[in-house]
Amino acid sequence: MPKDNEETINHYKQHIAEIEEIIDKVDNDKILSRHQRTRLIIFLEKATYHCKGMISTLDGTYHKK
């Protein structure tokens, strides 16, 4: 795996960690309604899946599945 890919993968991993923190905050938010929290969490989970997909593409595991 090229060094550029390692840096990009680490960048995506950082995004995943940040998104997971936001999901926890949204899940515990008292201001948003249940419906708003659910929609926002679904959106954030899709962003997480995107990052995980990009990581698997960059490290080559996507093509091995």
Side-chain angles (χ1 to χ4, degrees):
M1 176 177 10
K3 184 174 173 57
D4 291 340
N5 284 356
E6 289 179 28
E7 291 175 10
T8 306
I9 288 171
N10 288 334
H11 189 73
Y12 278 116
K13 287 181 180 179
Q14 181 182 0
H15 284 307
I16 290 171
E18 290 171 359
I19 292 170
E20 288 174 347
E21 287 178 22
I22 293 171
I23 289 173
D24 288 340
K25 289 179 183 178
V26 168
D27 196 31
N28 295 321
D29 191 279
K30 302 297 182 198
I31 297 173
L32 297 172
S33 70
R34 181 177 50 86
H35 179 69
Q36 290 171 321
R37 283 194 309 267
T38 302
R39 288 186 64 195
L40 186 54
I41 288 171
I42 289 170
F43 173 79
L44 292 170
E45 286 175 342
K46 287 180 182 179
T48 302
Y49 293 139
H50 169 75
C51 290
K52 289 178 181 179
M54 292 301 294
I55 289 171
S56 67
T57 300
L58 290 169
D59 68 9
T61 57
Y62 178 79
H63 300 289
K64 295 178 184 177
K65 292 181 182 180

